[in-house]
């Protein structure tokens, strides 16, 4: 059955952040080949104020956005209500007329909580997809946790990107039978092994220097500063090594300041955010991908780096241990630059088998992901239709 699906999320490209939520762009675009998918993206009002609108692309889905206004310095427990009111104020009439079969909410708070209310307002079921810090961090706050728990328990199904998140959802009272682990996929057309020398030549990088690569938002909880703090120990053994931080974010200035204090600022590269379809060369150019996050779901950059045959040094948090076997990387505790430095040195000296790493990553396939997500959405909508028929 072809469904009409409303996706509600903040994790999707929009005119003020064209590179946002590339994993959702990939997933929803593939879902849109089978169903009619409308993606309605919440845009933080501060984001609209900070930068001009740009161009973005999203295939096979209909896109729209609304502006999310909220009190920025207090009242985080009210953000789901603010999210709901902004949505209904700006797009309520359009939603009522659309005749959707179900809602798919991507991100638990405030998006998923508000989406649950929207679904009940529209009289349709909702499926909630959680990613990482929306449960690992947001649910730790006393006034937000009951809202998230209620939304999870009343969703027709909950989709998680890792077993660790599935366990957390059930700990919060969700029926385990309604929780589904679906790992994100990797686009094999973009991420596959290739000659390192060729990738470095295209990026204008030295062929011989060890290159530690970080890809993602530059923020403290991603462990960016931990990586800079680990760098001097790496340079003691590999003085020609460099670290490339591919991404943008509030931590950029802090990284430079800390590197200057440690005397290694000249070994940092900060090329900024890079389009998703241009990341393949950065992975293939890298000696090691390093992601020292303090909390995670299953970051796609880890899967994409491994798909290029690149070993990973990351923290043992969230779902990362579920997808990084010992022959593909080294895992360390978070908040520990000394252990991180030792792991990076071991990784630079180890005889990794790139083809075996890439073969492992090929098991994370978008086609399989969509088949499973499609079945969950079909079941949610079919059960809703059956319930309405019985009630009539």
């Amino acid at each position: 059955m072809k469904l009409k699906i409303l996706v509600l999320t903040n994790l999707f490209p929009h005119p003020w952040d064209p590179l946002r939520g590339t994993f959702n762009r990939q997933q929803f675009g593939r879902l849109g080949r089978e169903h009619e998918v409308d993606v309605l993206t919440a845009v933080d009002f501060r984001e609209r104020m900070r930068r001009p609108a740009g161009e973005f692309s999203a295939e096979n889905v209909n896109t729209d956005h609304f502006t999310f206004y909220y009190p920025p310095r207090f009242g985080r427990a009210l953000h789901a209500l603010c999210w709901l009111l902004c949505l209904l104020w700006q797009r309520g009439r359009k939603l009522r007329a659309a005749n959707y079969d179900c809602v798919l909410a991507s991100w638990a708070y405030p998006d998923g909580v508000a989406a649950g209310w929207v679904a009940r307002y529209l009289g349709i079921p909702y499926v909630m997809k959680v990613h990482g810090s929306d449960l690992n961090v947001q649910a730790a706050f006393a006034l937000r946790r009951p809202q998230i728990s209620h939304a999870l328990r009343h969703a027709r199904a909950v989709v998680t990107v890792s077993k660790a998140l599935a366990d957390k959802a059930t700990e919060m009272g969700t029926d385990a039978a309604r929780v589904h682990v679906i790992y994100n996929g990797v686009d094999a057309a973009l991420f596959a092994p290739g000659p390192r020398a060729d990738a470095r030549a295209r990026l204008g990088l030295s062929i011989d220097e060890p290159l530690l690569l970080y890809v993602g938002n530059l923020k403290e909880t991603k462990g960016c500063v931990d990586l800079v703090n680990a760098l001097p120990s790496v340079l003691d053994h590999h003085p020609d090594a460099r670290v490339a931080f591919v991404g943008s974010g509030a931590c950029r200035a802090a990284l430079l300041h800390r590197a200057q204090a440690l005397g290694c600022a000249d070994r940092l590269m900060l090329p900024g955010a890079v389009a998703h379809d241009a990341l393949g060369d950065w992975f293939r150019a890298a000696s090691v991908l390093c992601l020292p996050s303090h909390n995670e779901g299953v970051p796609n950059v880890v899967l994409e780096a491994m798909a290029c045959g690149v070993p990973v040094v990351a923290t043992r948090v969230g779902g990362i241990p579920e997808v990084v076997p010992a022959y593909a990387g080294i895992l360390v505790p978070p908040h520990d630059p000394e252990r991180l430095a030792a792991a990076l040195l071991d990784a630079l000296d180890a005889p990794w088998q790139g083809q075996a790493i890439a073969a492992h990553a090929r098991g994370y396939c978008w086609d399989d992901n969509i088949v499973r997500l499609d079945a969950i959405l079909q079941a949610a909508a079919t059960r809703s239709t059956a319930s309405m028929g019985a009630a009539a």
Side-chain angles (χ1 to χ4, degrees):
M1 178 174 69
K2 184 171 183 177
L3 303 177
K4 187 171 185 179
I5 302 166
L6 171 63
V7 175
L8 295 175
T9 187
N10 75 88
L11 293 174
F12 199 79
H14 57 74
W16 294 271
D17 192 352
L19 302 181
R20 186 171 180 80
T22 55
F23 46 88
N24 273 345
R25 178 178 57 77
Q26 295 176 84
Q27 185 183 55
F28 300 156
R30 287 168 171 82
L31 188 65
R33 296 171 186 169
E34 308 298 328
H35 303 285
E36 184 178 351
V37 177
D38 292 353
V39 182
L40 185 50
T41 306
V43 180
D44 189 311
F45 77 98
R46 297 176 302 176
E47 213 166 3
R48 293 194 62 161
M49 294 169 59
R50 280 196 296 260
R51 65 188 77 172
E55 298 292 329
F56 76 100
S57 62
E59 296 181 351
N60 305 316
V61 299
N62 305 309
T63 62
D64 195 4
H65 62 269
F66 70 96
T67 305
F68 172 35
Y69 297 99
Y70 57 92
R73 297 186 182 276
F74 62 91
R76 290 293 295 271
L78 298 175
H79 281 197
L81 178 60
C82 295
W83 203 102
L84 173 69
L85 294 175
C86 290
L87 173 63
L88 295 181
W89 165 45
Q90 297 170 53
R91 296 292 184 272
R93 183 176 299 177
K94 180 178 178 180
L95 294 182
R96 286 192 297 271
N99 196 28
Y100 291 108
D101 294 302
C102 65
V103 173
L104 173 59
S106 179
W107 196 253
Y109 190 86
D111 312 44
V113 172
W117 296 333
V118 171
R120 285 189 286 276
Y121 170 71
L122 296 175
I124 58 177
Y126 69 98
V127 172
M128 192 163 158
K129 179 184 172 192
V130 296
H131 297 267
S133 59
D134 49 350
L135 291 194
N136 293 329
V137 177
Q138 297 291 344
F141 290 87
L143 295 179
R144 291 171 234 172
R145 185 179 182 87
Q147 297 181 61
I148 297 171
S149 176
H150 183 273
L152 290 168
R153 287 186 285 107
H154 287 82
R156 192 59 54 84
V158 174
V159 175
T160 74
V161 298
S162 72
K163 294 176 182 176
L165 280 175
D167 291 341
K168 191 170 289 289
T170 57
E171 288 169 10
M172 294 179 66
T174 313
D175 180 0
R178 293 187 293 105
V179 180
H180 308 267
V181 180
I182 308 181
Y183 294 105
N184 280 341
V186 176
D187 188 337
L190 296 176
F191 304 105
R196 179 179 296 171
D198 292 352
R200 292 193 178 191
R202 286 190 290 269
L203 295 171
L205 302 176
S206 168
I207 293 177
D208 299 322
E209 293 177 344
L211 178 64
L212 309 178
L213 176 66
Y214 170 95
V215 178
N217 292 326
L218 304 184
K219 57 183 183 179
E220 187 174 355
T221 57
K222 289 288 187 179
C224 299
V225 177
D226 295 339
L227 178 51
V228 172
N229 285 332
L231 184 55
S233 296
V234 175
L235 293 174
D236 285 344
H237 297 268
H238 296 277
D240 56 343
R242 286 185 179 273
V243 177
F245 287 93
V246 175
S248 59
C251 208
R252 187 179 191 278
L255 294 179
L256 286 171
H257 183 267
R258 183 58 181 157
Q260 289 167 354
L262 294 172
C264 59
D266 62 324
R267 308 317 297 169
L268 263 63
M269 300 171 56
L270 293 140
V274 171
H276 186 247
D277 59 6
L279 282 176
D281 273 341
W282 280 101
F283 290 129
R284 286 182 283 269
S287 307
V288 179
L289 175 82
C290 184
L291 189 67
S293 296
H294 300 163
N295 63 79
E296 278 291 354
V298 172
N300 256 45
V301 294
V302 168
L303 302 179
E304 290 163 353
M306 291 191 298
C308 294
V310 177
V312 173
V313 170
T315 41
R316 191 179 294 279
V317 297
I320 293 177
E322 299 170 28
V323 300
V324 181
Y327 62 83
I330 303 172
L331 302 182
V332 299
H335 307 281
D336 194 336
E338 290 187 9
R339 296 279 292 275
L340 181 62
L344 289 169
L345 288 171
D346 287 344
L348 288 174
D349 295 335
W352 301 102
Q353 300 297 316
Q355 291 300 326
I357 297 173
H360 164 69
R362 284 196 292 272
Y364 300 96
C365 173
W366 277 122
D367 288 344
D368 295 340
N369 175 290
I370 296 303
V371 167
R372 295 194 61 202
L373 180 60
D374 177 272
I376 291 166
L377 293 169
Q378 292 275 6
T382 301
R383 182 178 166 191
S384 176
T385 302
S387 299
M388 290 174 62

